[in-house]
Amino acid sequence: MKLQESQSKSVSLGTLWREFLPLSLSDVTMACGDPMMTTTLAYLPDAQNNLAAVGIAKSLAIFFESPIIMILHAANALAGSQDSRKALWRFTLLVGGGLTFLLSLLGLPIIFNFVGVSLLGIPSAMLATVSQVLLLMGGWPFAIAWRRYFQGLLIYHGQSGAVAKASICRLLTLAVILTFGFFYQISGGVIAGLGLMGGVIVEAIVVTIFARRSGAILPPQIEQPNLPRNLTQVWKFYLPLANSMMVVWGGRAILISILARAEDATIAIAAWSAAWGLVLVIANSTRMVQQMVIKYRHQVSDRQLLTFAISVGAACSTVLLLISLTPIGDRIVQSFIGNDLTLAKSIKPVLLICAIVPLFVALQNAIQGFLVSENRTGHVNLSTWLGTGTLLIITTFAINKGMNGAMAAAIAMITSMLVEISCLLWKRVAKSQ
C-alpha cells in the first residue's frame, strides 16, 4: 500500500472532525482505563487505601513517563525526513530505557520507603502497596516511548484508525486482567499494576504491527528540509517539550504529596484521583487537537483551526457538565466508585468545578500545536512552568487554610490552566504582531 503524503488544500471543519474522531477515540479508550480500574478497586477490600495508593503510584509512573510523552508530537513533526526519523528512534530507545531503569529503582522498597515518607509524605499504610505497583510498572516508560513513536508515524500518514484500534486492544487487555483479578480477589495493587502494564505492552505491539503493515515506516517520498537530522539536533528540538511534560507531571506528583498533608488526606487523595480520572476520560478526548494543528498548520487558516478546537472543547465540557449536574451523572459516579457515600460526596463538587477543563485542554493543545509547528517549543515550556507553579502554590495555600483537599486541588487546577493558556496566547499574539 502506497501512502499519500500530499494533502488537499481544501479542508473543511467536517473533514477535521472526521479525521479527529478516531484519534480522539484512542485517547478516550486510554482514559477509560482509569475509571474502569477505580470501579474494580472500589469493590475490592480496603478500597480507599488501594485507590489512594494506586493514584500515588500512577502519578509517579507518569512523572517518569513525562519526558517521552511528546515523542508522538515529535514523530509527527519530524516524519518528513528519514534521517530525522532514525535520530528520533535512537533517542526514543535511549531515553525510554533510562527512565525504565530509574522507575524500577525507585520502586525498590529499601529506596521507596525512604523517599515516600521523607520527600512525599505518603502515609506509612500505603508504602508497601505503592512500592509494589511501581515495581510491576517498571517497564512503563519504555513501552510508552515505543508506542508513541509509531503512533506519530501513523498520524503523519493519515492512519488515525490504526491508532484507535491499538488503543482499544489496550483497553480490552486491561479489562480482562481486571476481571480476572476481581473474580479471584487479587490484591488491589497487584491487579492495578498488572493491568496497566499489560495493556500498554499490548498496545505497543499492535501499533508497531499496524505501522509496518501500512507502510508508515517506509522512507518519505519527499524529504522535508530544515528538520533535525542527528541525535544532537533532535535533543535540542525535543528538550523544551520534554521539560514541559516533566514539569506538568512532576507538579501532579507533588500535588499528591501536598494532598497527603491535608486534614482529610486519605479521602482527599482518593477523591481527587477518582474525580480527576473521570474528568480525564472526557478531557483527554480533546488532546489530539494538537496533532491536527501540527498536521494542517500550513493548509488551514489559524481561525478555522481555533474554531475547530473550541467546538471540540465545548462539546466535551458540556458532557462533563451534564455528568456533574444530572441524576444520570449521579448514577455514573455511583457505579464508578461503588457504595462509598463519603467518596461520592467528595467527588461531585470536584466534577462540577472541573467541567470547564475539556475546553481549556482543547485550547491549550491547539495553541501548543501552533508553537510546535513553528519550532517555538521554548514558549510552551515557559507557560508550563507558570501554570504548574500556580497549581502548587494555590493548593498549598488552600490546604494550609483548612480547605477540603480535593476541592483545593480542583480550584488550583482551573486557575493554573487559565494562567497557562493566557501565557500561550500572549506568546502567540506577540509573534503574529
Side-chain angles (χ1 to χ4, degrees):
M1 173 180 175
K2 188 173 288 186
L3 295 164
Q4 299 295 322
E5 296 188 342
S6 59
Q7 301 288 341
S8 170
K9 293 188 179 297
S10 177
V11 181
S12 67
L13 192 62
T15 300
L16 293 174
W17 266 97
R18 281 192 295 273
E19 185 168 342
F20 168 77
L21 286 174
L23 294 177
S24 175
L25 178 62
S26 70
D27 268 340
V28 170
T29 54
M30 183 173 66
C32 281
D34 283 341
M36 185 184 296
M37 186 169 59
T38 298
T39 302
T40 303
L41 296 182
Y43 286 94
L44 289 173
D46 201 18
Q48 284 192 16
N49 275 333
N50 277 328
L51 284 169
V54 171
I56 293 169
K58 191 173 182 186
S59 70
L60 290 171
I62 293 177
F63 170 67
F64 279 86
E65 170 199 343
S66 61
I68 45 84
I69 286 177
M70 300 296 276
I71 290 291
L72 184 153
H73 307 69
N76 187 3
L78 303 182
S81 165
Q82 182 66 3
D83 288 340
S84 299
R85 292 185 183 193
K86 290 180 179 178
L88 181 62
W89 177 239
R90 290 195 296 271
F91 176 84
T92 299
L93 295 179
L94 286 171
V95 177
L99 291 169
T100 280
F101 172 76
L102 292 175
L103 179 60
S104 300
L105 195 65
L106 175 65
L108 295 175
I110 192 172
I111 295 176
F112 188 75
N113 287 346
F114 170 76
V115 174
V117 173
S118 61
L119 297 181
L120 300 178
I122 297 172
S124 57
M126 300 182 193
L127 288 175
T129 304
V130 177
S131 174
Q132 186 179 53
V133 177
L134 289 177
L135 286 175
L136 290 170
M137 294 180 67
W140 180 268
F142 187 81
I144 292 289
W146 181 291
R147 64 110 176 169
R148 289 186 79 79
Y149 174 83
F150 287 105
Q151 282 178 326
L153 295 183
L154 286 167
I155 292 170
Y156 177 81
H157 288 291
Q159 302 293 306
S160 55
V163 176
K165 291 174 184 176
S167 297
I168 291 172
C169 290
R170 172 180 177 173
L171 186 65
L172 290 175
T173 302
L174 174 62
V176 169
I177 294 174
L178 291 177
T179 301
F180 179 86
F182 175 77
F183 280 112
Y184 286 91
Q185 292 291 290
I186 297 174
S187 164
V190 172
I191 188 177
L194 290 176
L196 289 167
M197 197 64 229
V200 78
I201 288 174
V202 168
E203 184 184 21
I205 293 171
V206 173
V207 82
T208 305
I209 293 171
F210 277 129
R212 292 183 177 278
R213 288 183 176 178
S214 68
I217 63 172
L218 296 176
Q221 296 176 0
I222 302 174
E223 286 279 327
Q224 292 183 12
N226 304 320
L227 293 177
R229 295 181 180 274
N230 57 49
L231 202 57
T232 301
Q233 292 174 353
V234 166
W235 172 253
K236 290 179 179 178
F237 170 85
Y238 190 78
L239 180 60
L241 298 176
N243 185 266
S244 296
M245 290 297 99
M246 288 182 68
V247 171
V248 168
W249 291 105
R252 303 284 169 85
I254 295 172
L255 176 64
I256 294 294
S257 73
I258 294 173
L259 294 181
R261 292 168 170 80
E263 294 178 3
D264 58 340
T266 300
I267 188 65
I269 295 173
W272 172 250
S273 298
W276 189 243
L278 188 55
V279 169
L280 288 183
V281 172
I282 310 298
N284 277 359
S285 65
T286 72
R287 293 193 310 172
M288 286 297 182
V289 161
Q290 185 171 155
Q291 301 309 310
M292 301 299 293
V293 171
I294 292 173
K295 180 175 180 179
Y296 288 108
R297 174 68 181 82
H298 302 294
Q299 302 174 47
V300 178
S301 69
D302 292 0
R303 181 184 296 274
Q304 185 174 345
L305 288 171
L306 278 174
T307 300
F308 165 69
I310 291 171
S311 69
V312 170
C316 293
S317 280
T318 301
V319 171
L320 189 55
L321 183 63
L322 291 173
I323 291 176
S324 65
L325 291 176
T326 63
I328 294 177
D330 291 338
R331 288 195 290 272
I332 291 173
V333 172
Q334 286 293 331
S335 64
F336 177 45
I337 60 166
N339 297 318
D340 193 326
L341 297 180
T342 303
L343 192 57
K345 185 178 179 181
S346 299
I347 286 175
K348 286 302 292 289
V350 175
L351 293 179
L352 182 59
I353 293 172
C354 291
I356 196 70
V357 167
L359 177 59
F360 284 173
V361 172
L363 284 172
Q364 177 190 59
N365 277 275
I367 304 168
Q368 285 178 347
F370 288 124
L371 295 172
V372 170
S373 66
E374 296 165 0
N375 289 332
R376 298 168 63 206
T377 53
H379 297 308
V380 176
N381 191 25
L382 173 63
S383 64
T384 302
W385 274 98
L386 291 174
T388 302
T390 301
L391 170 68
L392 300 180
I393 290 170
I394 292 179
T395 306
T396 301
F397 178 80
I399 284 179
N400 286 340
K401 291 295 183 179
M403 181 180 286
N404 171 287
M407 288 288 288
I411 293 169
M413 183 64 74
I414 296 299
T415 308
S416 70
M417 294 184 78
L418 276 173
V419 169
E420 185 171 352
I421 291 170
S422 299
C423 181
L424 287 168
L425 279 172
W426 171 59
K427 290 295 183 182
R428 177 73 183 142
V429 172
K431 173 68 175 179
S432 63
Q433 292 177 345

